[in-house]
Amino acid sequence: MGTQAAKLNPEAKAPHSPTGKERAVGGVNLLLQKLGPGLITGASDDDPSGIGTYSQVGAQFGYALLWTMLFSYPLMAAIQEISARIGRVTGVGIAANLRKNYPKPLLYSVLIVVSIANVFNLGADIGAMGSAAQLVLPGKISLFIIIFGGGSLAGILLVPYSTYAKYLKWLTLSLFSYVGVVFFTHVSWPTVLRATLMPHLELSKEYLTALIAVLGTTISPYLFFWQASQEVEEVRNHHGEKALKRAPAQAAQQLERIRIDTYVGMAFSNAVAFFIILTAAATLHTHGITEISTSAQAAKALEPLAGRFAFVLFVCGIVGTGLLAVPVLAASACYGIGEARRWKTSLERKPGEAVRFYAAITAATLIGLAMNFLHIDPVKALFWAAILNGIVAAPLMAVIMVMASSRRVMGKLVIPTYLKAAGWIATAVMLCACAGLFLAWK
């Protein structure tokens, strides 16, 4: 039929066959459409706490802990995918599922430990932003802390998070400067490859403390709640989409999107973390700086690339990731509290539509901000926030694994065997790391 039409009308054009370049562009656009909560979660994972922890680990141990980034990637990606599946399948977050299906003491125990860890982490991040800003601007650190804490809270209250994050994430591009630095300084690549592929373990107190800090930064409890809640937001905000238990026909497409979104987001997070450790090892550790006690010392890792602009790049990275992460830290715990108390919970709602949810976020942010006036070293606070996250993560991961494997919770869409295995391995690793830390500190 098409051939006959062409003969009758010689000017008729043959159907367009896409070129290789058009297919590539189409593939990239398709991938970008699949990215959402997982990518934002990955970006939030490299918050000031992460930058501080990775810089300290690289300065103290050189290349010795590079292997953790490769080792932790499948584990963190698995537990984040499981958390996302819980939200998408059930249509409610982790805390709401705990309330519906498990004893209340378990629900409130989880919320208490996660809330404490989040507020401490939030306070450390605000303090780090203030400390970093002091490197390039005149003024007292207390003033910058108030500005960043108040500014972050105002952003949460006045701007929908999807809009807020869309602009702030550009500041986090400065994190890629850590990738660039390694090409401007001497790096022993055979040593790096060996340290990455061949795990080096020590049973010393210092090494185990650093290990649990790295694991607590990459596998963070607040990210479990956040990604599950963001999948619930996706269901609410997209017409025609439903919880997969109610609309199993949507499962194949949505679970594939979750998998791609999560693994790309976590890959981005771990790649940046790998280069932060590598940069600190190649610049600070090799010059005898093994203890980072100020933001200025951490910023010096960028000097081979940025020279006198190193402080500016460092500040952009800390402030950008901090402003992106503070709402995540504050809201992730408050999503849990709100779900437990049956509040309206959404960062896309106006404060007047979810008064108690936003009141809890305000309280968490103000408590975190106030912690900075207790004269706690901001760099050490970041490191200890990561350790606290590592300790809290293990029992919470066990709860999530039981939930995701339960037909009562997930219906027919319980997690598949490969995810179940990866999730329990990740939980066992965190439990073993915590046990090793406690034994080393005895």
Side-chain angles (χ1 to χ4, degrees):
M1 184 75 180
T3 306
Q4 291 175 349
K7 287 178 179 177
L8 290 172
N9 183 7
E11 295 183 3
K13 293 182 179 179
H16 174 68
S17 179
T19 64
K21 182 179 180 180
E22 288 172 334
R23 284 196 295 270
V25 171
V28 170
N29 288 336
L30 185 61
L31 175 62
L32 291 175
Q33 289 172 11
K34 292 179 182 290
L35 302 182
L39 185 62
I40 292 295
T41 301
S44 302
D45 198 26
D46 288 320
D47 65 343
S49 176
I51 296 171
T53 299
Y54 300 137
S55 298
Q56 174 58 48
V57 164
Q60 187 174 0
F61 295 98
Y63 303 134
L65 280 161
L66 282 176
W67 64 270
T68 57
M69 291 299 103
L70 189 63
F71 175 76
S72 66
Y73 171 64
L75 306 183
M76 69 184 293
I79 200 69
Q80 287 302 142
E81 183 184 349
I82 291 166
S83 300
R85 279 174 174 253
I86 290 173
R88 195 73 189 199
V89 169
T90 64
V92 294
I94 291 172
N97 277 298
L98 282 171
R99 173 176 53 77
K100 289 180 178 181
N101 299 287
Y102 298 96
K104 283 189 177 180
L106 177 61
L107 167 65
Y108 291 117
S109 297
V110 167
L111 289 178
I112 288 169
V113 294
V114 170
S115 298
I116 291 171
N118 277 22
V119 169
F120 189 81
N121 203 140
L122 191 152
D125 280 359
I126 293 173
M129 287 191 281
S131 180
Q134 197 180 34
L135 296 176
V136 295
L137 296 171
K140 291 186 177 180
I141 187 174
S142 56
L143 175 63
F144 293 125
I145 286 171
I146 292 171
I147 289 172
F148 284 122
S152 298
L153 183 57
I156 297 169
L157 295 175
L158 301 176
V159 185
Y161 184 75
S162 56
T163 304
Y164 177 88
K166 185 166 60 177
Y167 295 103
L168 283 179
K169 66 184 178 183
W170 293 107
L171 276 177
T172 66
L173 291 178
S174 60
L175 290 174
F176 284 106
S177 57
Y178 287 98
V179 180
V181 167
V182 299
F183 299 104
F184 288 82
T185 189
H186 174 71
V187 174
S188 173
W189 290 107
T191 305
V192 169
L193 187 62
R194 189 163 53 250
T196 304
L197 299 179
M198 300 175 63
H200 167 74
L201 291 171
E202 295 178 16
L203 297 180
S204 67
K205 179 172 67 176
E206 293 77 15
Y207 187 92
L208 289 172
T209 301
L211 178 61
I212 195 68
V214 169
L215 292 175
T217 301
T218 53
I219 306 175
S220 299
Y222 72 90
L223 296 178
F224 310 156
F225 279 85
W226 174 257
Q227 195 161 353
S229 297
Q230 288 306 292
E231 286 297 335
V232 176
E233 293 274 23
E234 290 279 305
V235 173
R236 289 175 183 163
N237 296 333
H238 289 83
H239 180 71
E241 293 188 5
K242 299 178 181 178
L244 298 182
K245 279 176 72 172
R246 295 172 51 204
Q250 298 177 6
Q253 179 185 359
Q254 291 300 332
L255 295 180
E256 181 196 15
R257 180 196 57 76
I258 287 171
R259 185 162 48 251
I260 293 171
D261 182 26
T262 302
Y263 280 77
V264 170
M266 297 306 111
F268 167 79
S269 172
N270 267 30
V272 171
F274 178 90
F275 280 100
I276 294 174
I277 296 173
L278 178 55
T279 298
T283 56
L284 303 178
H285 182 80
T286 56
H287 290 90
I289 302 174
T290 59
E291 183 73 26
I292 298 177
S293 56
T294 67
S295 292
Q297 286 179 314
K300 282 184 179 295
L302 296 174
E303 275 190 333
L305 171 66
R308 62 195 180 95
F309 296 108
F311 290 162
V312 175
L313 268 179
F314 178 78
V315 170
C316 285
I318 289 287
V319 171
T321 58
L323 291 175
L324 194 65
V326 164
V328 177
L329 281 160
S332 58
C334 296
Y335 269 115
I337 294 169
E339 289 168 0
R341 303 299 300 169
R342 301 175 188 268
W343 298 344
K344 291 180 179 179
T345 56
S346 175
L347 284 176
E348 299 302 314
R349 292 179 183 269
K350 294 179 180 179
E353 298 171 342
V355 175
R356 289 176 290 187
F357 175 65
Y358 279 98
I361 288 176
T362 302
T365 305
L366 293 177
I367 293 170
L369 190 155
M371 284 177 53
N372 288 282
F373 295 92
L374 301 177
H375 305 293
I376 300 172
D377 180 342
V379 175
K380 283 189 168 55
L382 294 175
F383 191 72
W384 284 102
I387 293 171
L388 181 59
N389 275 325
I391 293 170
V392 169
L396 177 57
M397 289 165 70
V399 171
I400 288 172
M401 289 306 301
V402 171
M403 186 186 301
S405 304
S406 168
R407 285 191 174 275
R408 182 175 59 174
V409 177
M410 302 286 284
K412 295 180 180 179
L413 294 171
V414 293
I415 55 173
T417 303
Y418 79 92
L419 265 185
K420 198 175 294 185
W424 280 115
I425 290 171
T427 305
V429 166
M430 294 300 289
L431 285 170
C432 289
C434 289
L437 179 65
F438 286 128
L439 290 173
W441 277 84
K442 287 183 83 173

